[in-house]
Every structure is written in C-alpha cells, then in structure tokens.
Amino acid sequence: MTENTQQQPASNPELPTQYVPAEVEGKLYERWVDRGYFEADEKSEKAPFTVVIPPPNVTGSLHLGHAFEHTLIDAVTRRKRMQGYETLWQPGMDHAGIATQNVVERELGKEGKSRHDLGREAFVERVWKWKAESGGQISGQMRRLGDGVAWSRERFTMDEGLSKAVQTIFKRLYDDELIYRAERIINWCPRCLTAISDIEVEYQEDDGELVSLKYGEGEDSVVVATTRAETMLGDTAVAVHPDDPRYARLVGKRIKLPLTDRTIPVVADTHVDPQFGTGAVKVTPAHDPNDFEIGRRHDLPNITVMDERAVITVPGPFEGLDRLEARSAIVAALRAEGRIVAEKRPYTHSVGHCSRCKTTIEPRLSLQWWVKVGPLAKAAGDAVRDGEVAIHPKEMESRYFGWVDNLHDWCISRQLWWGHRIPVWYGPNGETVCVGPDDEAPTGAGWTQDTDVLDTWFSSGLWPFSTLGWPEQTPSVEKFYPNSILVTGYDILFFWVARMMMFGLYAMDGTPPFHTIVLHGMVRDEHGKKMSKTFGNVVNPLDWMDKYGTDAVRFTLARGANPGVDVPIGEDWVQGSRNFANKVWNATRFAMMNGATVQGPLPDAAEMSATDRWILSRLNAVVAEVDAYYEDYQFAKLSDTLFHFAWDEVFDWYVELSKTTFIEGGEAAKVSGRVLGEVLDVTLRLLHPIIPFVTETLWTTLTGKESVVVADWPADSGFRDATAEREIEHLQLVITEVRRFRSDQGLQPGQKVPARLDLTGTPLAAHEAAIRQLLRLQPEGEGFHATATLPVEGATVALDLSGTIDVEAERKRLTKDLGAAEKEKAQATAKLGNEAFLAKAPDNVVEKIRGRLTKAEADIERLTAQLAGLPQG
C-alpha cells in the first residue's frame, strides 16, 4: 500500500452520526471542480489516459443508460488519476440534428408557425437560442452523478472548432473521391422529411396485408404478390428467374399494367427466387432498393409515385391520397377489375420505422450525398483483426466484423436546416465546388450552396480528435490522441464506433482513435424487461439519487456491469446499496471512535496479532484482485469483491474480533488501531472510484488529507500470511457453527449461555475472549451441566442449555433433518456411480451433483454431532 502525505491527520476526527447524501454531494463536487482535479494538462510529463464521453444529445436528460455508462467511465478515470496518469475525460454534447429541429419546430407549432415562416437563417438562430436557454440540462445532471470530466474542455458538435473539423474532412474525402453525389434509393421519413441512414431504421413485426395481383391478359398474364399495392403505379417491369421454365415464353414480352395505360416488360434476373411465391415479382425501381438494382441492370425507367410526405402524385383517381389511403383504394379498384387473385390479412412482416418518430419508412429514389465506405471500412476491420484495437469482451468482435465487412455506402445528407451545412456550391453553368475551411466560397450571380446538412453521425465520428483541436496539430492532439479506451453500449457499435474507426484511421494517418473498445449492455428493469414508456417501467435516476444518494445508484449499476451483458436493476437493489454506504459510514465512524488511526508507520508483523496479520494479508490480496478486475473491465466482480471484503471481512469480522483488544487497551490496542486505520484507508481508496462521495467524506476525516480524488491508488505490498489466514478461517468456522447451532435452538442473538471451551491443540486459545464475546458465551460456573457438546474443527464447545430448549423436540427435528441429508447423499452417490449418466450429463450438471454430495456429507457430520451433544435420558 502507498501513502499520501499531503498533510497531517486531524487530531480528533468527528463524523455526524448519520450520513445524509444530500448535505454533502453537491458541495463536494463543486469543491473538486473548483480545485481543478478533473482538468488535464497537455504539458504534463505524466503518461496520458484519455477517454471521451459518448456525447449526449443537447435535447437529452439523464436516464439510467447514461448513469450506467458514466459510472463505469468515471470509475476507470478516477482510478487512473489516482494511479498517476494525466487523465482526460473529454465532455461535450451532440447537436442531434433531427431531434433538436423537431423540438424547436414543435415550439413554433404552438405559435401557429413553421420553420418556413421564419426562413432558414432565422430558424437556425431560433435553435441556437433554444440551445442557450433550454439545451444541455444533462450537463448539470452529470454533475449530480459525480462525473469527473474536464469541464473547461467541454465541446459541442456545432461549435466553431468542430465545424472546421467537419468541413476539413468533408473536403479531403471529396478530393479523394470518397464522397460523391448520386441518385439512389434511401430510407425516407415522411414525418421528419429527411433521409435517414440504415442504422437509424428500426424494424418491427407489423400486421399488414399480402395481396396477389394478376398483370397482363390470358396466356400472357402473370401473378405477383405485394404488401405495398400503392407502389404498383410505379412498376416498370415484372421480373422472373432466367431458368424458370414457367415464364420462359414471356421474357422479353410486354404486358398490361392494371389501372394504367402503360405496358411493362417481363425481364429475367437472377435476383428472383423461383421458389418464393409465384416466382414472379413486380419491379418498382424508384421505391425499393432491390428493384432499383434490377432496374439498373435492365435499364428500366424510374417512376416516382409519391412526394416527400408519402402522398400519391400520379395523375388520376388516386392522386392526393396518403400512401395508406391509396393502398386500400387501389386494392378496391383492382378487385373491381377482377385482378385480385388472393388476399391474406393480417400478414405479419418486418417493417422499417424511423428510430426517432416511429413513422413507417418509405424507400425513395433521391439525389443525395454518399460516403464510399469500402476502403474506410476495410481499414476499420483490419485495425481490429491486426490487434491494433481490442474489443472487450472479445466475443463482440464477430458483431463488429459482421457490420464493417458488409457496409453499404453511407448516405450522409439530411434535408434539415439544423446541422453542418454541406460545403458544396453550385454554379450557374452546372459547376460544382467543394469548399474547405480556408477556402473562399464562390460569389456572384447564380452561385448557391447545397441546402442539405450532414448526418449527425458524421460530426460525432470525428469526436476523439476534433475535440482536441484537430485539424490543427495542437498540444492536446499530440498528448491525448489516440484515446486509451472507448466505453460505450454495444447497441451503438454500428452507429458510432464504426464511424469513429473509419474517420480516425483516415484523418490521423492510420492511427486508430482508441486502443480498446469496452462494450457494455443496456439497463433493463428488475425482471430483465427493456425499459420503455410503453411498458411504464422507465426510471428517472435522479429520483433514486434524491431518495438513496448518488453513491447507492452508482454502486448498484457497477455491481450489475458484466462485460457486454444487459443489466437488470430494481429499486430494492438501490436500497441495498444505500445500506452498504451506511454500513461503510457507521463502521468507519465506530472504528475511528475506537482508535483507528493512520498516524505513524505500520507496526512490524511480529508485533501484530494473528487477526491483524490476517486482515492485512486479505487486504493486499483484495488490492491485487481488484486491480486484475479493473484491467479486464469486470466492474461487477470488482464491486462484489469490495462489497464482501468491506462488509464481511473488515466490518463483520475484523472490527468485531478486535473489540476485546480495544476494550483491554495497551500496546495491542495501539497496534490494532493502526492496522484498522490502514485497512480503512486502503478500503476507502479502493471504493472511491465507484462510490466517490461517501468515501471522500470518510477518507479526508480519517486521514486529514486534502482529497481522496488525488490520493495514491493502493498498491499490493506483497504482504501475505497464509498461517494467519488459516487460523482466522478456523476461528470463523467455529464461530459460524456455534452461531448456527444457537439459531437452530431458537436462542436470541443476545442471549447469554454458559459454556466450556476446549481449544487445546488448536491455535484458537489466544482468541477465547473474542469467541466468548461474539457468541455471548459466559464462563462456566457452579452447577454447569453440558447439555450440548459441539466438536468443531478440533475444538470443543460445550453449552449448558438447561431450561432453554425442549430436548425431545430438538432430537426429533435433528433426526428428521439427518434423514433428509442421508437421503440426499444416497441419491447423489447413486447418480455419480452411474456410468451411463456420467457419459451423457453436461459437466456443469455433474459438478452440481458433486456439490450436493459434499454438502450432504457436511450436513450429516454436523447433525450427527448435534444429536450426540444433546443430553440423554
């Protein structure tokens, strides 16, 4: 363990009798910020440790997912800071193009206006005003959570520096022919009135209808099936497989398209599955991505039949109808003509929806800007394959490769006004000019800038280096790029992580944006169900923080954080964590009142009792264990280790075993007081990254030093004492067994019982006073009669229970329990002796049965001893 020597400890530390989080959390956090503990200095000679915050939306507020992720990042960065790294946790927010524009448009709607009433420039000014007044409330909530971020470095994806970075990389990609403009099928949201990328489409099973339609007449007719009958108005072909004999005679012919005055060709294309349906499909190139590719192969015309709001634009009886209204009307018209061959309702199928407004997506042919992702995605995949970037847990690699190895070109233009405007100008004679941040935009008659803005993920993909001042080669870029780790949810592995990998490798000369990607799961309710407003199970973490304290929420979240696995959480668990924080408070306060101190060096091992040596040995083992778990990002395991060490070993065993020493006083009490002080000092430092507020209050009071935030992280001194550990384990077994016996007899915990202890031949003689105190065992007096004798691990404890139990009733109970244990042993033995069973049963099942056998044998030994110890006659 290391020492922090900032100042001398207080002479008479005092703590309130009760820990009240609301009275200390806000003040402590502001003190940390005011003293600059979370700031990072690029001039420092310390080794850097960098991590970015996944930028929350400017429209957002703290939810449990944020609280979970931020707790994990804060724990990692607090530990690294204590380990002596120049630690930068980079904060900031995302401008959230669609979400923010929707918020401001709703506000305008209340005034009876639209953005078009204001015009582009005035609308954007209105959004900036909203951002200044109402946006970013999550920043204050992050302070409530205790986020140790470098607030002086806070960035926003639309600020001047990041906008320059966006314009720079757009220009470079454009010049390298990795950005292009083309007409393609895109995902269009008729509600948000913009294109959205593939990863912003959420698919769900919807009930629709499958209608089979007859095209053509007589022998030249063909049946096709569709769930979107309204798109037939834009059909420009029917496709069949070239090897399908049923339609060979029709390939190359033209057939009548119902409800129109057009004929369309029958084309042969290998994309068609002859085994599916009738083996013939309608082809609508302007409204389906697969049909678009068939259309390109066969030089088919593209006929758009809907406008941006998904309203039919084809002249005729269906013009002006919404797509769903048109669907019903067209089916009715086809039915009237006898063209409906079959109808299936409901027909459940997967339908894409806008992830923001949940409107059904409309595939639409549109002129958009695209990133050619092929070479960028290959580099992003190779960086992980070559070991430059590690994904944790490793089993998540397959999901990553499944995405980057199959990326389609990325549609980056959005038909919005809020966002980074595409830096391309069009001239009066068809000129196209891409303008970098240091270029002059063309002026003069007829020159106009592209009206679209960039996908939000374009700017957030630059986050690991744009936040440091890139494209300038700033001291911060030199010091803090690449990031050490990225901590984020597996659910945005595709949205964000792949984008950062592609842009980081491209912009930073092949250096990936981070060394390690740490993926965590999503927070769910206590039953494992996804949190949703629909289900009514969404929890506001601020409510729990108000009720139980921030530390309790953080500890609950960390304790559930197994790598890459979803985290169930319930209020009862937060209450349990609050109880743990109170236990740490009360036990530390008690220890300090009874002589725990950090003053002076630790005594030599020769001066210590076995109990002292045991707890120090266990303390060092726990330091090593916690360090190993941190390096493997096993937050649940390290939290659980600290919980059981602090509660069980330190507070429930060491403090209790030391009470008699403190009562007796003398040199032994001074030694144990110093040992206890050391244990508390180190334990509080180990707990600090997870529960920062209660540990700060306790540690500064215990040590008198400045702050645990800048204290040294504990180091394993290497001290181990296996002999002392075995001795105390022996002692614990004796105490536990006698406690169980007392409980079995129905004795109250505080009820005193006369007892004779025979500790001959064991190392427990030195612990007799502690054993008697913890077990409420009085010395044997006159008339002592041993009514129960317990042989435990070489020691014998004889109890006089005269008048306290019904011996015959107890004998019957023990005999019944013994019979059940013997039956369990017989069943387990029979299974383990069955070769056929062992050959077929999984290893974990066999191991479970072996455990049942071991427990049954231990129960038989215990119950037999208890029966033998009962008085006879």
Side-chain angles (χ1 to χ4, degrees):
M1 275 76 66
T2 55
E3 288 190 45
N4 183 333
T5 55
Q6 291 157 303
Q7 63 186 72
Q8 291 299 311
S11 55
N12 292 301
E14 292 184 2
L15 288 166
T17 56
Q18 194 174 20
Y19 176 56
V20 183
E23 293 179 2
V24 300
E25 290 178 353
K27 296 175 185 175
L28 281 184
Y29 188 82
E30 289 310 312
R31 187 168 76 193
W32 293 334
V33 172
D34 291 345
R35 292 181 178 179
Y37 292 155
F38 305 139
E39 296 302 322
D41 182 5
E42 59 264 20
K43 297 176 183 177
S44 169
E45 294 183 0
K46 297 178 182 178
F49 183 85
T50 317
V51 58
V52 295
I53 198 168
N57 288 351
V58 66
T59 58
S61 59
L62 190 74
H63 57 62
L64 266 179
H66 289 127
F68 175 53
E69 184 168 80
H70 291 200
T71 294
L72 303 188
I73 302 174
D74 197 41
V76 170
T77 52
R78 283 179 183 268
R79 173 175 174 261
K80 287 294 182 181
R81 192 177 292 112
M82 294 171 76
Q83 286 182 312
Y85 288 84
E86 192 62 32
T87 303
L88 169 60
W89 184 9
Q90 173 67 54
M93 284 186 295
D94 191 281
H95 65 280
I98 295 177
T100 305
Q101 180 157 318
N102 283 347
V103 167
V104 178
E105 286 198 83
R106 280 197 297 271
E107 284 195 354
L108 285 174
K110 295 174 184 175
E111 302 170 14
K113 298 178 182 177
S114 75
R115 60 181 163 123
H116 300 285
D117 294 322
L118 272 66
R120 183 169 194 142
E121 187 174 337
F123 176 77
V124 171
E125 285 181 7
R126 177 73 176 255
V127 180
W128 278 109
K129 181 182 178 185
W130 174 87
K131 191 252 181 189
E133 294 174 354
S134 306
Q137 63 172 317
I138 196 171
S139 292
Q141 296 166 345
M142 286 163 57
R143 293 171 182 264
R144 282 284 315 275
L145 190 62
D147 284 4
V149 299
W151 287 112
S152 69
R153 292 172 173 265
E154 186 175 13
R155 304 304 297 269
F156 180 55
T157 50
M158 285 282 286
D159 69 27
E160 184 178 353
L162 271 68
S163 295
K164 182 178 181 180
V166 167
Q167 196 172 352
T168 298
I169 201 163
F170 186 99
K171 170 71 171 171
R172 291 188 187 178
L173 289 164
Y174 181 87
D175 289 346
D176 287 343
E177 298 183 349
L178 292 173
I179 281 183
Y180 64 93
R181 195 181 191 213
E183 202 172 38
R184 298 279 188 276
I185 292 286
I186 49 92
N187 302 299
W188 181 264
C189 177
R191 159 63 184 80
C192 297
L193 299 180
T194 182
I196 63 175
S197 65
D198 291 343
I199 52 179
E200 294 169 296
V201 178
E202 292 179 349
Y203 287 90
Q204 66 185 47
E205 296 296 311
D206 286 358
D207 284 340
E209 60 181 355
L210 181 67
V211 183
S212 296
L213 315 174
K214 184 176 74 172
Y215 286 10
E217 305 294 342
E219 291 185 356
D220 288 347
S221 66
V222 62
V223 174
V224 298
T226 182
T227 58
R228 302 167 67 222
E230 69 278 8
T231 63
M232 66 151 294
L233 299 175
D235 287 358
T236 56
V238 169
V240 298
H241 194 277
D243 298 331
D244 192 335
R246 293 173 295 175
Y247 302 112
R249 59 187 172 75
L250 290 178
V251 174
K253 288 188 175 183
R254 300 185 72 85
I255 59 176
K256 178 76 166 61
L257 179 66
L259 306 183
T260 72
D261 58 2
R262 293 191 290 118
T263 61
I264 57 177
V266 177
V267 299
D269 196 281
T270 54
H271 172 76
V272 179
D273 180 1
Q275 305 302 318
F276 183 76
T278 64
V281 297
K282 59 191 287 299
V283 182
T284 321
H287 290 277
D288 184 274
N290 294 321
D291 293 3
F292 177 76
E293 295 302 325
I294 293 175
R296 292 218 302 185
R297 287 193 288 272
H298 297 277
D299 199 24
L300 299 174
N302 301 313
I303 299 177
T304 299
V305 301
M306 284 177 250
D307 67 10
E308 61 183 8
R309 297 183 185 276
V311 171
I312 301 298
T313 57
V314 178
F318 311 111
E319 185 177 9
L321 295 180
D322 171 82
R323 56 183 165 171
L324 297 182
E325 296 172 333
R327 183 176 301 170
S328 299
I330 287 171
V331 169
L334 290 166
R335 188 182 297 112
E337 285 193 5
R339 296 280 179 178
I340 302 294
V341 175
E343 297 179 71
K344 184 177 182 181
R345 295 190 187 88
Y347 177 72
T348 303
H349 61 133
S350 182
V351 178
H353 296 260
C354 174
S355 62
R356 289 177 175 82
C357 71
K358 311 308 176 187
T359 301
T360 300
I361 289 302
E362 188 61 44
R364 186 169 189 253
L365 186 64
S366 181
L367 184 63
Q368 301 284 345
W369 285 94
W370 304 80
V371 171
K372 186 186 294 183
V373 300
L376 302 175
K378 182 181 184 304
D382 290 346
V384 174
R385 286 190 174 92
D386 297 344
E388 287 186 87
V389 178
I391 292 180
H392 186 88
K394 190 173 178 60
E395 53 265 28
M396 285 285 181
E397 280 186 2
S398 60
R399 295 185 63 167
Y400 176 77
F401 293 137
W403 179 254
V404 298
D405 293 348
N406 297 285
L407 270 179
H408 300 296
D409 284 0
W410 172 19
C411 177
I412 55 171
S413 44
R414 298 291 180 268
Q415 290 63 56
L416 304 170
W417 287 356
W418 173 244
H420 297 102
R421 195 163 174 183
I422 288 177
V424 173
W425 271 254
Y426 305 109
N429 300 311
E431 305 96 329
T432 299
V433 176
C434 181
V435 176
D438 300 321
D439 300 332
E440 289 289 333
T443 56
W447 281 94
T448 58
Q449 185 178 359
D450 196 297
T451 57
D452 288 351
V453 300
L454 287 163
D455 178 8
T456 298
W457 295 104
F458 191 95
S459 52
S460 58
L462 313 180
W463 193 246
F465 49 94
S466 63
T467 51
L468 299 174
W470 187 89
E472 308 302 326
Q473 190 60 23
T474 64
S476 287
V477 170
E478 293 179 4
K479 179 73 174 182
F480 296 115
Y481 187 90
N483 285 198
S484 306
I485 63 170
L486 172 75
V487 180
T488 191
Y490 65 71
D491 55 321
I492 58 171
L493 180 62
F494 318 130
F495 284 87
W496 189 43
V497 179
R499 310 292 195 218
M500 288 189 289
M501 286 286 282
M502 291 192 296
F503 282 167
L505 288 160
Y506 173 80
M508 306 302 285
D509 299 320
T511 302
F514 18 73
H515 297 302
T516 305
I517 301 168
V518 180
L519 297 173
H520 59 72
M522 297 177 5
V523 179
R524 296 180 176 271
D525 71 12
E526 58 193 306
H527 305 295
K529 196 172 185 179
K530 182 178 178 180
M531 287 193 175
S532 153
K533 291 179 181 177
T534 304
F535 300 147
N537 60 352
V538 174
V539 173
N540 183 347
L542 296 170
D543 292 341
W544 281 353
M545 288 156 67
D546 289 341
K547 193 171 182 180
Y548 302 110
T550 296
D551 287 330
V553 175
R554 289 173 60 117
F555 194 72
T556 305
L557 291 165
R559 218 175 160 192
N562 290 298
V565 178
D566 288 348
V567 182
I569 184 172
E571 186 167 1
D572 287 351
W573 306 341
V574 183
Q575 188 172 350
S577 294
R578 188 271 312 273
N579 294 344
F580 175 62
N582 287 342
K583 179 76 171 182
V584 173
W585 179 273
N586 294 332
T588 303
R589 180 174 178 275
F590 172 84
M592 291 168 63
M593 290 171 60
N594 284 274
T597 179
V598 295
Q599 290 183 313
L602 270 176
D604 292 335
E607 301 175 57
M608 299 180 191
S609 68
T611 310
D612 295 332
R613 296 195 307 276
W614 161 73
I615 197 62
L616 286 177
S617 182
R618 287 292 305 127
L619 177 67
N620 278 282
V622 166
V623 169
E625 196 174 338
V626 168
D627 273 333
Y629 284 142
Y630 261 115
E631 294 305 313
D632 199 33
Y633 307 103
Q634 297 277 1
F635 297 99
K637 290 182 178 178
L638 73 88
S639 299
D640 213 47
T641 295
L642 287 170
F643 174 87
H644 287 294
F645 175 70
W647 193 307
D648 300 343
E649 298 186 77
V650 178
F651 302 143
D652 279 0
W653 281 110
Y654 181 71
V655 170
E656 292 299 317
L657 288 170
S658 301
K659 278 184 178 178
T660 53
T661 303
F662 289 130
I663 292 169
E664 292 169 1
E667 281 303 311
K670 290 180 181 179
V671 169
S672 291
R674 180 63 188 90
V675 169
L676 180 52
E678 179 76 4
V679 172
L680 291 174
D681 171 14
V682 173
T683 302
L684 291 171
R685 281 187 277 154
L686 289 173
L687 283 165
H688 172 72
I690 306 291
I691 50 173
F693 294 106
V694 67
T695 52
E696 171 81 340
T697 306
L698 292 172
W699 190 85
T700 53
T701 305
L702 172 69
T703 65
K705 296 174 184 175
E706 180 185 341
S707 173
V708 70
V709 176
V710 289
D712 293 335
W713 180 253
D716 176 6
S717 71
F719 177 81
R720 299 289 192 279
D721 191 325
T723 301
E725 288 198 38
R726 284 194 298 270
E727 182 174 327
I728 301 306
E729 285 171 9
H730 190 175
L731 175 63
Q732 290 172 328
L733 282 171
V734 171
I735 291 173
T736 301
E737 196 57 44
V738 177
R739 278 177 172 165
R740 177 160 34 188
F741 181 78
R742 287 178 55 108
S743 176
D744 288 345
Q745 310 311 312
L747 298 176
Q748 294 300 314
Q751 187 173 349
K752 294 183 178 180
V753 177
R756 177 188 300 135
L757 304 185
D758 182 0
L759 308 175
T760 308
T762 75
L764 302 183
H767 302 283
E768 180 167 348
I771 292 172
R772 286 190 177 277
Q773 180 184 342
L774 291 176
L775 292 173
R776 304 294 189 268
L777 302 180
Q778 294 177 318
E780 54 186 295
E782 285 188 30
F784 177 83
H785 177 56
T787 59
T789 303
L790 300 177
V792 187
E793 297 292 322
T796 303
V797 180
L799 305 174
D800 184 353
L801 303 178
S802 303
T804 61
I805 62 169
D806 182 334
V807 175
E808 283 309 308
E810 182 61 16
R811 193 185 309 281
K812 286 181 182 179
R813 188 184 70 81
L814 292 173
T815 301
K816 180 181 178 183
D817 290 349
L818 179 60
E822 288 173 337
K823 182 179 179 182
E824 175 75 358
K825 177 185 176 181
Q827 290 175 340
T829 301
K831 283 191 175 181
L832 294 173
N834 185 334
E835 292 298 331
F837 170 77
L838 293 176
K840 294 180 180 178
D843 291 345
N844 64 318
V845 172
V846 175
E847 201 56 40
K848 187 175 181 181
I849 293 172
R850 287 198 180 109
R852 284 167 49 191
L853 176 60
T854 300
K855 182 180 183 302
E857 290 173 340
D859 287 344
I860 290 169
E861 183 180 351
R862 172 176 59 83
L863 293 164
T864 301
Q866 288 180 351
L867 277 166
L870 289 174
Q872 303 299 313

